[in-house]
Amino acid sequence: MSVEHLSPASTSPPASASAIRDTPPAGPGPVIGRALQILGAFSAQHAHLSLSELARRSGLPVSTVHRMLADLLAWGALERDERGRYRIGLRLWEVGALAPRGQGLRETALPYLEDLCQATRENVQLAVREGTEVVFVERLGGSAAVPTLTRVGGRLGITATGAGLVLLAHAPAHVQDVALATPLEAHTPFTLTDPAQLRRVLARTRACGYAVSDRQLSLDTLSVAAPVTGRSGEVVAALSLVVRHRSMPTGALADLVRTSGRAISRALHAGAF
């Protein structure tokens, strides 16, 4: 079982996530809002949807969805498969790839991720924070690595993974407050759900420069993560190694991820981040 189970994408962002953005954007207009609802109906578990499924998952009338599909198809945001169902289009992927926290960060970090993956033959992941969730922008896995369900673009809760703990430890105080005030699911007997205990973990993470998530999402995995900083010194991402529980000493893993995290940070400092 994976250490990092992805939670299905919702049809609209949670209130807690929108409440903690540094600069809340103006709400989209009616037409754009409906288009975003349609696009938000897709997830890793629901990548191909019929017209009726799109209407149900987006919360819009079938007639509204049907009317808007023509424009979304013409622009390339959506495509139709051989069974007539709808899926995310290549044009939307092309635009999404321009996001600097995704593609730009990934391209800079990828050589170091590949080196770490080759050296350990384990799962190597790069993640950023979006509200109180972790979004993975890259994932590499060794041939003998413990299986995970993590995918590029996948989201996870922020408190039960090594990468999430690093990102939360360096997040603004109000973000931490929102994350720790939210009821936390106990995936295993080892999942940390007590806010006071989590605050101590976050303080320890800031002090030692890495975080450990030991069997918090599954009983056979452990992740160790370290921060990646941008040009101004702020934490912009987290690098993590996901291994089988008790397969490697935590201290050795921490040394590896911290070294690689510093190398990626130096590369980012020399670039646009």
Side-chain angles (χ1 to χ4, degrees):
M1 183 67 64
S2 163
V3 67
E4 293 182 337
H5 299 275
L6 300 177
S7 54
S10 60
T11 57
S12 61
S16 60
S18 61
I20 60 176
R21 289 176 178 155
D22 295 332
T23 306
V31 175
I32 294 177
R34 289 193 292 268
L36 293 176
Q37 284 180 261
I38 292 171
L39 295 176
F42 293 90
S43 71
Q45 296 78 19
H46 300 89
H48 297 254
L49 297 172
S50 67
L51 173 61
S52 60
E53 289 170 335
L54 273 172
R56 177 175 55 83
R57 287 180 56 79
S58 66
L60 296 171
V62 171
S63 59
T64 300
V65 175
H66 183 266
R67 185 170 63 251
M68 299 195 67
L69 283 175
D71 288 338
L72 292 171
L73 287 167
W75 187 81
L78 296 179
E79 301 172 347
R80 297 188 73 177
D81 64 17
E82 63 280 358
R83 295 176 56 185
R85 296 175 303 175
Y86 299 92
R87 63 190 179 192
I88 294 297
L90 187 61
R91 179 77 180 277
L92 194 61
W93 176 84
E94 291 173 336
V95 173
L98 299 175
R101 287 206 301 160
Q103 189 71 3
L105 174 62
R106 173 191 172 276
E107 288 179 350
T108 301
L110 189 56
Y112 305 96
L113 303 181
E114 290 173 337
D115 287 347
L116 185 58
C117 185
Q118 291 175 4
T120 62
R121 300 186 182 276
E122 301 288 356
N123 299 293
V124 178
Q125 303 176 147
L126 187 69
V128 298
R129 180 179 64 84
E130 177 71 11
T132 56
E133 294 180 310
V134 177
V135 179
F136 290 87
V137 297
E138 186 54 275
R139 175 192 173 276
L140 303 176
S143 58
V146 61
T148 73
L149 298 179
T150 306
R151 64 177 179 87
V152 174
R155 290 173 178 262
L156 294 169
I158 203 166
T159 59
T161 67
L165 290 171
V166 165
L167 293 167
L168 187 59
H170 295 278
H174 67 280
V175 175
Q176 296 180 12
D177 292 341
V178 171
L180 299 181
T182 303
L184 302 174
E185 180 182 357
H187 301 278
T188 77
F190 301 96
T191 304
L192 301 179
T193 59
D194 177 63
Q197 185 178 7
L198 281 165
R199 288 192 184 277
R200 291 193 292 270
V201 169
L202 297 180
R204 187 163 62 247
T205 296
R206 289 189 294 269
C208 67
Y210 68 93
V212 177
S213 174
D214 185 4
R215 297 167 292 170
Q216 290 208 63
L217 284 171
S218 69
L219 294 175
D220 60 347
T221 50
L222 175 145
S223 65
V224 180
V228 173
T229 61
R231 295 182 69 178
S232 62
E234 80 283 10
V235 173
V236 297
L239 170 68
S240 66
L241 269 171
V242 181
V243 305
R244 196 174 301 277
H245 174 62
R246 290 187 175 176
S247 63
M248 295 179 66
T250 300
L253 294 171
D255 289 341
L256 288 170
V257 294
R258 284 188 297 182
T259 298
S260 295
R262 287 192 290 266
I264 297 171
S265 298
R266 288 193 294 271
L268 293 178
H269 298 170
F273 280 82

